């Protein structure tokens, strides 16, 4: 989303304008990186690895949104904004869309339907999101 598109989401109450701090961004990036590293641990169950990868991606995606000065309480919107906050390709966003739907089925209906191809795709997208977030310039405020 261009800033105009993000501002439109503010106008309809889907996003809030809230400046981020560099320490907040560093914390989200650290959280994402630690979880992403743990998600690569093949000795863990597929479900645990998926959960770690999903939450890593959310932390990293939230860092991107916060860097732009916006906040959302909606995980799906945080992922959806990646097309514009980090210019994430549509095919990668579709992986996040699928992961979000699987995560919600697991969390709210107890239906665990995670497979290795989805986990591996999620890990690739999460790593790309991490690299893109790491290229964002430091904020002027500490």
């Amino acid at each position: 989303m261009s800033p105009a598109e993000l501002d439109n989401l503010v106008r309809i109450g889907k996003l809030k304008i809230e400046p981020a701090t560099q320490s907040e961004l560093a914390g989200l990036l650290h959280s994402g990186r630690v979880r992403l590293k743990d998600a690569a641990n093949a000795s863990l169950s597929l479900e645990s690895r998926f959960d770690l990868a999903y939450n890593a991606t959310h932390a990293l995606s939230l860092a991107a949104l916060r860097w732009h000065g916006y906040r959302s309480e909606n995980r799906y919107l945080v992922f959806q904004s990646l097309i514009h906050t980090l210019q994430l390709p549509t095919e990668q966003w579709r992986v996040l869309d699928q992961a979000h739907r699987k995560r919600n089925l697991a969390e709210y209906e107890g239906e665990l339907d995670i497979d290795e191809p989805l986990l591996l795709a999620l890990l690739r997208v999460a790593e790309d999101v991490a690299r893109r977030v790491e290229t964002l310039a430091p904020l002027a405020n500490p």
Side-chain angles (χ1 to χ4, degrees):
M1 276 164 228
S2 69
E5 290 166 312
L6 294 173
D7 286 341
N8 284 340
L9 291 171
V10 170
R11 276 190 281 282
I12 62 172
K14 298 292 185 183
L15 291 180
K16 297 175 188 169
I17 294 176
E18 183 181 306
T21 65
Q22 191 61 45
S23 64
E24 177 187 8
L25 297 179
L28 288 167
L29 183 59
H30 175 75
S31 173
R33 277 293 188 194
V34 167
R35 289 177 177 163
L36 190 54
K37 180 180 176 188
D38 290 348
N41 183 346
S43 70
L44 297 176
S45 71
L46 194 63
E47 291 79 5
S48 291
R49 294 177 68 201
F50 176 83
D51 191 54
L52 287 163
Y54 176 86
N55 284 305
T57 310
H58 180 262
L60 296 163
S61 301
L62 184 58
L65 186 64
R66 298 292 297 125
W67 186 88
H68 285 275
Y70 298 92
R71 177 178 293 283
S72 175
E73 296 174 2
N74 182 313
R75 287 176 171 260
Y76 190 76
L77 193 56
V78 171
F79 290 142
Q80 205 171 27
S81 298
L82 284 169
I83 291 174
H84 306 287
T85 57
L86 295 178
Q87 291 72 49
L88 196 72
T90 302
E91 61 271 13
Q92 290 188 5
W93 184 85
R94 287 189 187 119
V95 171
L96 298 178
D97 177 52
Q98 183 181 12
H100 181 75
R101 285 186 281 116
K102 298 272 187 179
R103 177 260 184 192
N104 279 357
L105 281 173
E107 288 288 319
Y108 302 117
E109 298 181 31
E111 183 180 323
L112 289 172
D113 183 23
I114 310 301
D115 57 29
E116 189 165 356
L118 175 60
L119 172 62
L120 296 176
L122 181 57
L123 287 170
R124 284 190 300 272
V125 171
E127 189 59 48
D128 189 40
V129 169
R131 279 192 298 271
R132 290 171 189 257
V133 167
E134 289 166 346
T135 66
L136 297 173
L139 295 176
N141 63 355

